[in-house]
Amino acid sequence: MAEVTTRPRVRFAPSPTGYLHVGGARTALFNWLFARRHHGVFILRIEDTDADRSSWDMVAGIVDGLRWLGLDWDEGPDIGGPHAPYFQSQRLDRYRAMADRLVREGHAYYCYCSAEALKERRDASQTTGIAWKYDRRCCELGADQIAELETTGAPRAIRFKVPEGTTYFDDLVHGRIEFDRANLEDFVILRSDRHPTYHLSVVVDDVEMQVTHIVRGDDHISNTPKQVLLYEALGIDLPHFAHVPLILGPDRKRLSKRHGATSVLEYKHLGYLPEAMVNFLALLGWSPGTDLEVFDTAELVEQFSLAGISGGNAVFNPEKLDWFNAQHIARLASGEIARRIEPELRAAGLWNDDVLGSGRSWLLRVIELLKPRARKLTDLVESGRPFFGHAVTYDPDAVATHLGDPGLASHLDALRDRFATMTEFAAPAIEATLRKVAEERGVKAAPLIHATRVAALGRAVSPSLFDVLELLGREKTVQRLGVAARIARGDAAGDRF
RNA sequence: GUCCCCAUCGUCCAGAGGCCCAGGACGCGGCCCUUUCAAGGCCGAAACACGGGUUCGAAUCCCGUUGGGGACGCCA
């Protein structure tokens, strides 16, 4: 089973639920990576046969999610394509025509059993303990019985007539999978309201859209034999199937809302980079076969192969996602980071239009300094606050441990005076000055450094203090040192917290 | 219940009969660096579910058990 023939055509076919969840995102990603890797076509198709919910609004969440991840499609509802429309709800006539043809050719038949009657029989079989399967009642109807039912105008659905025997298909991730058709019932392909069921619509669309590889979730394995039967009845060669394992929550249950964030867009708002999300998702169930793990999207495209997909389900590991995010932030150019956090900085009232001009390089240097310790973009906004804002918010614990000693006040005053008068306010000189002041006053440098950090930023952790002060600038440093001295004395405590 | 899929460290993966007393990564512990916190470097604890085969040899092949997951709709 050759994985790739010529130019593969794959599709991502979500139901319009309003948002793209993590599992769907990974399925879409695998399809996209495969298409891009082999210069094929990635199709976006909306499976909304069930509903009147076929508006573009309903798919907006999914589309936004895909766009955020950078997964672009070559054919789809918004851009059209040679097989438009890409909303199943707009293709109903095709499914009906196909269902009618299957009846005509003897592969399907009308079923007049009502939903209620079916339920009754199903429930009855439950008590006997025998697994329920449609009893084929309508398949065995005589011509006169059918004629009679037709005259009463009874609603009729169309069922596919499952032949005896065995059905198999060669799955690209699982190998050959066989099903005894005795376990398959005559499934409905067209409801009594003439709307298709999933089995019919996927097959019809995949055939018409010339999909060559069906890459979808594991949960579809048991649907596949029914679809294989449909392909065979239609006399059409099977596409390749690749069923990818599901993503599970920490409790090993299928990932769902109760596991927290499941919409990819939520991750955007939590400060994750799309390239990190893509990287993480790609390696959840797939491996390039090497020890490397951090890849940008282009590298992923280059290495992707369906053969590298593993067969078992994967548990979503948020800590590892965080790590990937940190790795990608560290690799991102500061200018790009600035561009991405601008909205957040603006929203937090921390954006100074200055940074578009003369302050630009200063902004980039601040980001450069903060970058290595950020796991999320939101960390950058948070840790950047004392740099961008004017007011300092003092962490009470930091103040208590590092500015709690009133004896510190005079040292801070001395340091402030020296900072105010030293010539070049740059990191090496700042460090030399501080150490000198400490030495002159007979105190260790460490406590003074810690106190100065709290003075400058209001918190006990930060990048190297001397770099921090240089970027903060002499003016703010001196001013904040003054405030800190008053806090140490106990004067200013009341209005600063 | 029936059918199907899966089974290597807590988690994600590598391993396609000897290279494996099992390798990488996250997380965890320790050390180094150091003004704090990260980053980085080094070290460490941590797994082939179980039982039978096959074979000179099995994490790798076969069977069974157990465990986990999925599907059993006129949902997709």
Side-chain angles (χ1 to χ4, degrees), chain A residues 102 107 160-163 166-171 177-179 181 184 187 189 198-200 202-204 206-207 214 216 220-241 243:
Chain A
L102 288 168
H107 290 115
F160 185 81
K161 189 174 176 181
V162 176
T166 301
T167 284
Y168 71 87
F169 59 94
D170 291 309
D171 191 275
I177 299 178
E178 285 189 3
F179 288 87
R181 293 186 204 133
L184 263 37
F187 53 97
I189 56 176
Y198 168 70
H199 301 298
L200 214 218
V202 245
V203 172
V204 170
D206 286 338
V207 167
I214 295 178
R216 71 212 323 187
H220 285 288
I221 288 183
S222 50
N223 290 328
T224 308
K226 295 177 187 168
Q227 293 159 24
V228 168
L229 252 18
L230 249 13
Y231 275 92
E232 285 170 354
L234 262 20
I236 291 164
D237 288 341
L238 287 185
H240 297 281
F241 289 99
H243 287 97

Side-chain angles (χ1 to χ4, degrees), chain A residues 114-287:
Chain A
S114 67
E116 301 75 51
L118 250 16
K119 187 180 185 314
E120 216 167 277
R121 273 181 270 162
R122 190 177 300 139
D123 290 348
S125 82
Q126 208 111 60
T127 60
T128 66
I130 301 164
W132 162 259
K133 202 176 96 174
Y134 177 64
D135 51 20
R136 282 208 160 160
R137 185 170 296 194
C138 295
C139 186
E140 285 143 15
L141 256 26
D144 48 335
Q145 288 171 293
I146 292 176
E148 194 185 322
L149 281 160
E150 284 295 332
T151 55
T152 64
R156 59 183 196 187
I158 295 178
R159 281 185 190 269
F160 185 81
K161 189 174 176 181
V162 176
E164 288 183 359
T166 301
T167 284
Y168 71 87
F169 59 94
D170 291 309
D171 191 275
L172 259 13
V173 349
H174 296 286
R176 177 160 299 197
I177 299 178
E178 285 189 3
F179 288 87
D180 182 344
R181 293 186 204 133
N183 293 312
L184 263 37
E185 69 171 0
D186 288 350
F187 53 97
V188 172
I189 56 176
L190 200 72
R191 296 186 252 259
S192 48
D193 64 0
R194 303 273 298 162
H195 273 71
T197 59
Y198 168 70
H199 301 298
L200 214 218
S201 57
V202 245
V203 172
V204 170
D205 286 347
D206 286 338
V207 167
E208 289 199 9
M209 294 179 184
Q210 295 169 35
V211 171
T212 59
H213 294 69
I214 295 178
V215 181
R216 71 212 323 187
D218 238 354
D219 49 341
H220 285 288
I221 288 183
S222 50
N223 290 328
T224 308
K226 295 177 187 168
Q227 293 159 24
V228 168
L229 252 18
L230 249 13
Y231 275 92
E232 285 170 354
L234 262 20
I236 291 164
D237 288 341
L238 287 185
H240 297 281
F241 289 99
H243 287 97
V244 320
L246 303 176
I247 298 178
L248 273 25
D251 57 355
R252 301 212 130 260
K253 298 285 181 205
R254 206 173 156 161
L255 200 64
S256 71
K257 299 106 252 157
R258 40 190 193 79
H259 294 112
T262 53
S263 159
V264 294
L265 254 15
E266 282 179 64
Y267 286 91
K268 173 186 179 182
H269 296 123
L270 288 170
Y272 292 90
L273 297 175
E275 46 271 68
M277 194 71 193
V278 162
N279 193 168
F280 169 69
L281 250 20
L283 263 45
L284 201 56
W286 171 77
S287 164

